[in-house]
Amino acid sequence: MNVWIAIGATAVGCYAVKLIGLLIPAGVLERPLVQRLAALVPVALLAALTAQQTFADGRLLVLDAKAAGLAAAGVALLLRAPFLVVVAVAVLVTAGVRAMTG
Amino acid sequence: MAEETVTADIAADGRSDGSGRSDAAVVRDALGVGVAVGLSGFAFGVTSAGGGLTVLQTCALSLLVFTGASQFALVGALAGGGNPFTAAAGAFFLGVRNAFYGLRLSQLLALPRAVRPFAAQWVIDETTAVALAQSTRRGVRIGFTVTGLSLYVLWNLTTLLGALGAEAIGDTDVWGLDAAGPAVFLALLAPMVRTALERVVACLAVVLGLGLLPVLPAGVPVLVAALSAPVALWADGRRRARTESVGGRDAVEEKR
């Protein structure tokens, strides 16, 4: 049930912000401070989420095969690999390290 | 989803190209983005089902939420044991950027008011990137529609396949598939971190996100980490104000 509540809340919220952008008159969101904040909030969220999903197991901090996978993904990004390749590299390296370390 | 790299490529193309591209060229660009990103719905399906959501819940997310970063964030937070509202809040804040896309698109698409509620679901990174790269209203409309349609259909199909696949193979962690979620976030983040301020925000968010994890309820540390954006902006504003008040010499130094 909890999952459906979360899905419903997210669906309504995400649809609402999409629609608001199309409906409100230009100018309301055009202030420089609002624009800069809108660009920076995703940076903060994505950075925190990347770190947590790589180094956290529940509420514990861990260092496991995922860290190697993400490091490999980082290298792939530096080499300007396409999106799907970056994800595939992370998955393959994580699986490989896990298979080797058992 | 959201290839900012794709965004950059297309933006560059659009600028160098000038005006009046053929409809076929616009459709080609739009399909390129739609297909490439649409296929990554597979990674979402696997991650979501691997994180404990049912196939139906996973597909409902792709159909109803349809903005990749928010979807990944939600299933990650739920798998981490977050309560439904903190999980939804994190996903929501990631989706707020779509309001700014809608603002730009609304002027370019010039849709009748009655059509806007239907177009809204497709207002995401990729459709915005393709639409903004076009130089005529016709091009903008074709780019938006073709990208939106191809991406929506493929993203939902591959979500279903990924979720079914994850159920079939059982323990997705053995195959390293739990690394797909964070890798998606990293790929989305990389092109956004260019200036010193953006790096500071990212580092501060990592420290807060990991540091608060053991002490705050699941899902809350991410929301606290989001505060690093306004805090860094405020600190940056103060620093600028101070350097400007020190005088001309420092200001010149700053500009170099």
Side-chain angles (χ1 to χ4, degrees), chain B residues 112-164:
Chain B
R113 280 192 97 78
V115 179
R116 291 182 200 178
F118 301 99
Q121 187 69 323
W122 289 352
V123 174
I124 52 171
D125 303 279
E126 294 80 8
T127 50
T128 307
V130 174
L132 292 185
Q134 310 309 325
S135 48
T136 61
R137 172 148 301 149
R138 185 181 165 80
V140 169
R141 284 179 171 173
I142 293 174
F144 176 81
T145 309
V146 174
T147 312
L149 183 64
S150 58
L151 189 43
Y152 193 75
V153 170
L154 264 179
W155 177 257
N156 280 292
L157 271 178
T158 52
T159 295
L160 174 64
L161 292 177
L164 291 174

Coordinates of all heavy atoms in Angstrom, one line a residue, chain B residues 112-164:
Chain B
P112 N -2.7 25.5 -28.2 CA -4.0 25.9 -27.6 C -4.1 25.4 -26.2 O -3.6 24.3 -25.9 CB -5.0 25.2 -28.5 CG -4.2 24.7 -29.7 CD -2.8 24.6 -29.3
R113 N -4.8 26.2 -25.4 CA -4.8 25.8 -23.9 C -5.4 24.4 -23.7 O -5.0 23.7 -22.8 CB -5.7 26.8 -23.2 CG -5.0 28.1 -22.8 CD -5.8 29.0 -21.8 NE -5.4 28.8 -20.5 CZ -4.3 29.3 -19.9 NH1 -3.5 30.1 -20.7 NH2 -4.0 29.1 -18.7
A114 N -6.4 24.0 -24.6 CA -7.0 22.7 -24.4 C -6.0 21.6 -24.6 O -6.2 20.5 -24.1 CB -8.2 22.6 -25.3
V115 N -5.0 21.8 -25.4 CA -4.1 20.7 -25.8 C -3.0 20.6 -24.7 O -2.4 19.5 -24.5 CB -3.4 21.0 -27.1 CG1 -2.4 19.9 -27.5 CG2 -4.5 21.1 -28.2
R116 N -2.7 21.7 -23.9 CA -1.6 21.7 -23.0 C -1.6 20.5 -22.0 O -0.6 19.9 -21.7 CB -1.5 23.0 -22.3 CG -1.1 24.1 -23.3 CD -1.0 25.5 -22.6 NE -1.0 26.5 -23.6 CZ -1.0 27.8 -23.4 NH1 -0.9 28.2 -22.1 NH2 -1.0 28.7 -24.3
P117 N -2.8 20.2 -21.4 CA -2.8 19.1 -20.4 C -2.3 17.8 -21.0 O -1.7 16.9 -20.3 CB -4.2 19.0 -19.9 CG -4.8 20.4 -20.2 CD -4.1 20.9 -21.4
F118 N -2.5 17.6 -22.3 CA -2.1 16.4 -22.9 C -0.6 16.4 -23.3 O 0.1 15.4 -23.2 CB -2.9 16.1 -24.2 CG -4.4 16.0 -23.9 CD1 -5.2 17.0 -24.1 CD2 -4.9 14.8 -23.3 CE1 -6.6 17.0 -23.8 CE2 -6.3 14.7 -23.0 CZ -7.1 15.8 -23.3
A119 N -0.1 17.6 -23.7 CA 1.3 17.7 -24.0 C 2.2 17.7 -22.8 O 3.3 17.3 -22.8 CB 1.5 19.0 -24.8
A120 N 1.6 18.0 -21.6 CA 2.4 18.2 -20.4 C 3.2 17.0 -20.0 O 4.4 17.1 -19.6 CB 1.5 18.6 -19.2
Q121 N 2.6 15.8 -20.2 CA 3.3 14.6 -19.8 C 4.6 14.4 -20.5 O 5.5 13.7 -20.0 CB 2.4 13.3 -19.9 CG 2.9 12.0 -19.4 CD 3.0 12.0 -17.9 OE1 3.3 13.0 -17.2 NE2 2.7 10.9 -17.3
W122 N 4.8 14.9 -21.7 CA 6.0 14.8 -22.5 C 7.0 15.9 -22.2 O 8.0 15.9 -22.9 CB 5.6 14.7 -24.0 CG 4.9 13.4 -24.3 CD1 4.7 12.3 -23.6 CD2 4.4 13.1 -25.6 NE1 4.1 11.4 -24.2 CE2 3.8 11.8 -25.5 CE3 4.2 13.8 -26.8 CZ2 3.2 11.2 -26.6 CZ3 3.6 13.2 -27.9 CH2 3.1 11.9 -27.7
V123 N 6.7 16.8 -21.3 CA 7.7 17.9 -21.0 C 8.8 17.3 -20.2 O 8.7 17.3 -18.9 CB 7.0 19.1 -20.4 CG1 8.0 20.1 -20.0 CG2 6.0 19.7 -21.3
I124 N 9.9 16.9 -20.8 CA 11.0 16.3 -20.1 C 12.3 16.8 -20.7 O 12.3 17.5 -21.7 CB 11.0 14.8 -20.1 CG1 10.8 14.2 -21.5 CG2 9.9 14.3 -19.2 CD1 11.0 12.7 -21.6
D125 N 13.5 16.3 -20.2 CA 14.8 16.7 -20.7 C 14.9 16.6 -22.2 O 15.3 17.5 -22.9 CB 15.9 15.9 -20.1 CG 15.9 16.0 -18.6 OD1 16.4 17.0 -18.0 OD2 15.4 15.1 -17.9
E126 N 14.6 15.4 -22.7 CA 14.9 15.0 -24.1 C 14.0 15.8 -25.1 O 14.5 16.3 -26.1 CB 14.7 13.5 -24.3 CG 15.7 12.7 -23.6 CD 15.3 12.5 -22.1 OE1 14.2 12.9 -21.7 OE2 16.1 11.9 -21.3
T127 N 12.7 15.8 -24.8 CA 11.8 16.5 -25.7 C 12.2 18.0 -25.8 O 12.2 18.7 -26.8 CB 10.3 16.4 -25.3 OG1 10.2 16.8 -24.0 CG2 9.8 15.0 -25.5
T128 N 12.6 18.6 -24.6 CA 13.0 20.0 -24.6 C 14.2 20.2 -25.4 O 14.3 21.2 -26.2 CB 13.2 20.4 -23.1 OG1 12.1 20.1 -22.4 CG2 13.5 21.9 -23.0
A129 N 15.2 19.3 -25.2 CA 16.5 19.5 -25.9 C 16.2 19.4 -27.4 O 16.8 20.3 -28.2 CB 17.4 18.3 -25.5
V130 N 15.4 18.5 -27.9 CA 15.2 18.4 -29.4 C 14.4 19.6 -29.9 O 14.7 20.2 -30.9 CB 14.5 17.1 -29.7 CG1 14.1 17.1 -31.2 CG2 15.3 15.9 -29.4
A131 N 13.4 20.0 -29.1 CA 12.5 21.1 -29.5 C 13.3 22.4 -29.6 O 13.2 23.2 -30.6 CB 11.3 21.2 -28.6
L132 N 14.1 22.7 -28.6 CA 14.8 23.9 -28.5 C 15.9 24.0 -29.6 O 16.3 25.1 -30.0 CB 15.5 24.1 -27.1 CG 14.6 24.3 -25.9 CD1 15.5 24.6 -24.7 CD2 13.6 25.4 -26.1
A133 N 16.3 22.9 -30.2 CA 17.3 22.9 -31.2 C 16.7 23.3 -32.6 O 17.5 23.5 -33.5 CB 18.0 21.6 -31.3
Q134 N 15.4 23.4 -32.7 CA 14.8 23.7 -34.0 C 14.6 25.2 -34.2 O 14.4 25.9 -33.2 CB 13.4 22.9 -34.1 CG 13.5 21.5 -33.8 CD 14.6 20.7 -34.5 OE1 14.9 21.0 -35.7 NE2 15.2 19.8 -33.8
S135 N 14.6 25.6 -35.4 CA 14.6 27.0 -35.7 C 13.2 27.6 -36.1 O 13.0 28.8 -36.2 CB 15.6 27.4 -36.7 OG 15.5 26.5 -37.8
T136 N 12.3 26.7 -36.5 CA 10.9 27.1 -36.9 C 9.9 26.5 -35.9 O 10.2 25.5 -35.3 CB 10.6 26.7 -38.3 OG1 10.6 25.2 -38.3 CG2 11.6 27.2 -39.3
R137 N 8.7 27.1 -35.9 CA 7.7 26.6 -35.0 C 7.2 25.2 -35.5 O 7.0 24.3 -34.7 CB 6.4 27.5 -35.0 CG 5.2 26.9 -34.3 CD 4.4 28.0 -33.6 NE 5.2 28.7 -32.6 CZ 4.9 30.0 -32.3 NH1 4.0 30.6 -32.9 NH2 5.7 30.6 -31.4
R138 N 7.2 25.0 -36.8 CA 6.9 23.7 -37.3 C 7.9 22.7 -36.9 O 7.5 21.6 -36.4 CB 6.8 23.8 -38.9 CG 6.4 22.5 -39.5 CD 6.4 22.7 -41.1 NE 6.4 21.4 -41.7 CZ 5.2 20.7 -41.9 NH1 4.1 21.2 -41.5 NH2 5.3 19.5 -42.5
G139 N 9.2 23.0 -36.9 CA 10.2 22.1 -36.5 C 10.1 21.8 -35.0 O 10.3 20.7 -34.6
V140 N 9.8 22.8 -34.2 CA 9.7 22.7 -32.8 C 8.6 21.7 -32.5 O 8.7 20.8 -31.7 CB 9.4 24.0 -32.1 CG1 9.0 23.8 -30.6 CG2 10.6 24.9 -32.2
R141 N 7.5 21.9 -33.2 CA 6.3 21.0 -32.9 C 6.6 19.6 -33.3 O 6.3 18.6 -32.6 CB 5.1 21.5 -33.6 CG 4.5 22.7 -32.9 CD 3.3 23.3 -33.7 NE 2.6 24.3 -32.8 CZ 1.6 25.0 -33.3 NH1 1.1 24.8 -34.5 NH2 1.0 25.9 -32.5
I142 N 7.2 19.4 -34.5 CA 7.5 18.0 -35.0 C 8.5 17.4 -34.0 O 8.4 16.2 -33.6 CB 8.1 18.1 -36.4 CG1 7.0 18.5 -37.4 CG2 8.6 16.7 -36.8 CD1 7.5 18.7 -38.8
G143 N 9.6 18.1 -33.7 CA 10.6 17.6 -32.8 C 10.0 17.2 -31.5 O 10.3 16.1 -31.0
F144 N 9.2 18.0 -30.9 CA 8.6 17.7 -29.6 C 7.7 16.5 -29.7 O 7.8 15.5 -28.9 CB 7.8 18.9 -29.1 CG 7.0 18.6 -27.8 CD1 7.7 18.8 -26.6 CD2 5.7 18.3 -27.8 CE1 7.0 18.5 -25.4 CE2 5.0 18.1 -26.6 CZ 5.7 18.2 -25.4
T145 N 6.9 16.4 -30.7 CA 5.9 15.3 -30.8 C 6.6 14.0 -31.1 O 6.3 13.0 -30.5 CB 4.9 15.6 -31.9 OG1 4.4 16.9 -31.7 CG2 3.7 14.6 -31.9
V146 N 7.5 14.0 -32.1 CA 8.1 12.7 -32.4 C 9.0 12.2 -31.3 O 9.0 11.0 -31.0 CB 9.0 12.9 -33.7 CG1 9.7 11.6 -34.0 CG2 8.1 13.2 -34.9
T147 N 9.8 13.1 -30.7 CA 10.6 12.7 -29.5 C 9.7 12.1 -28.4 O 9.9 11.1 -27.8 CB 11.4 13.8 -29.0 OG1 12.1 14.5 -30.0 CG2 12.5 13.3 -28.0
G148 N 8.6 12.9 -28.1 CA 7.7 12.5 -27.0 C 7.1 11.2 -27.2 O 7.1 10.3 -26.4
L149 N 6.6 11.0 -28.5 CA 5.8 9.8 -28.8 C 6.8 8.5 -28.8 O 6.5 7.5 -28.1 CB 5.1 9.9 -30.1 CG 4.3 8.7 -30.5 CD1 3.1 8.5 -29.6 CD2 3.8 8.9 -32.0
S150 N 7.9 8.7 -29.5 CA 8.8 7.5 -29.6 C 9.4 7.2 -28.2 O 9.5 6.0 -27.8 CB 9.9 7.8 -30.6 OG 10.7 8.9 -30.2
L151 N 9.7 8.2 -27.4 CA 10.3 8.0 -26.1 C 9.3 7.4 -25.2 O 9.6 6.4 -24.4 CB 10.8 9.3 -25.6 CG 11.7 9.3 -24.3 CD1 12.7 8.2 -24.3 CD2 12.4 10.6 -24.2
Y152 N 8.1 7.9 -25.2 CA 7.0 7.4 -24.3 C 6.7 5.9 -24.6 O 6.6 5.1 -23.7 CB 5.7 8.2 -24.5 CG 4.7 8.0 -23.3 CD1 4.9 8.5 -22.1 CD2 3.6 7.2 -23.6 CE1 4.0 8.3 -21.0 CE2 2.7 7.0 -22.5 CZ 2.9 7.5 -21.3 OH 2.0 7.3 -20.3
V153 N 6.5 5.6 -25.9 CA 6.2 4.2 -26.2 C 7.4 3.2 -25.8 O 7.2 2.2 -25.2 CB 5.9 4.1 -27.7 CG1 5.8 2.6 -28.2 CG2 4.6 4.8 -28.0
L154 N 8.6 3.6 -26.2 CA 9.7 2.7 -26.0 C 10.1 2.6 -24.5 O 10.4 1.5 -24.0 CB 11.0 3.2 -26.7 CG 11.2 2.6 -28.1 CD1 12.5 3.2 -28.7 CD2 11.4 1.1 -27.9
W155 N 10.1 3.7 -23.8 CA 10.4 3.8 -22.4 C 9.4 2.8 -21.6 O 9.9 2.1 -20.7 CB 10.3 5.2 -21.9 CG 10.5 5.4 -20.4 CD1 9.5 5.6 -19.5 CD2 11.7 5.5 -19.7 NE1 10.1 5.8 -18.2 CE2 11.4 5.7 -18.3 CE3 13.1 5.3 -20.1 CZ2 12.4 5.8 -17.4 CZ3 14.1 5.4 -19.1 CH2 13.8 5.7 -17.8
N156 N 8.2 2.8 -22.0 CA 7.2 2.0 -21.3 C 7.3 0.5 -21.7 O 7.2 -0.4 -20.8 CB 5.8 2.5 -21.5 CG 5.4 3.7 -20.6 OD1 5.3 3.5 -19.4 ND2 5.4 4.9 -21.2
L157 N 7.6 0.3 -22.9 CA 7.8 -1.1 -23.4 C 9.1 -1.7 -22.7 O 9.0 -2.8 -22.2 CB 8.0 -1.2 -24.9 CG 6.8 -1.3 -25.8 CD1 7.2 -1.3 -27.2 CD2 6.1 -2.6 -25.4
T158 N 10.2 -1.0 -22.7 CA 11.4 -1.5 -22.1 C 11.3 -1.6 -20.6 O 11.9 -2.5 -20.0 CB 12.6 -0.7 -22.6 OG1 12.4 0.7 -22.3 CG2 12.9 -0.8 -24.0
T159 N 10.5 -0.7 -20.0 CA 10.3 -0.8 -18.6 C 9.7 -2.2 -18.3 O 10.1 -2.9 -17.4 CB 9.4 0.3 -18.1 OG1 10.0 1.5 -18.2 CG2 9.0 0.1 -16.6
L160 N 8.6 -2.5 -19.0 CA 7.9 -3.8 -18.8 C 8.9 -5.0 -19.0 O 8.9 -5.9 -18.2 CB 6.8 -3.9 -19.8 CG 6.0 -5.3 -19.8 CD1 5.3 -5.5 -18.5 CD2 5.0 -5.3 -21.0
L161 N 9.7 -4.9 -20.1 CA 10.6 -6.0 -20.4 C 11.6 -6.1 -19.3 O 12.0 -7.2 -18.8 CB 11.3 -5.8 -21.7 CG 10.4 -5.9 -23.0 CD1 11.2 -5.6 -24.2 CD2 9.9 -7.3 -23.1
G162 N 12.2 -5.0 -18.8 CA 13.2 -5.0 -17.7 C 12.6 -5.6 -16.5 O 13.2 -6.4 -15.8
A163 N 11.4 -5.2 -16.1 CA 10.7 -5.7 -14.9 C 10.5 -7.2 -15.0 O 10.7 -7.9 -14.0 CB 9.4 -4.9 -14.6
L164 N 10.0 -7.7 -16.1 CA 9.8 -9.1 -16.3 C 11.1 -9.9 -16.3 O 11.2 -10.9 -15.6 CB 9.1 -9.4 -17.7 CG 7.6 -8.9 -17.8 CD1 7.1 -9.1 -19.2 CD2 6.7 -9.6 -16.8

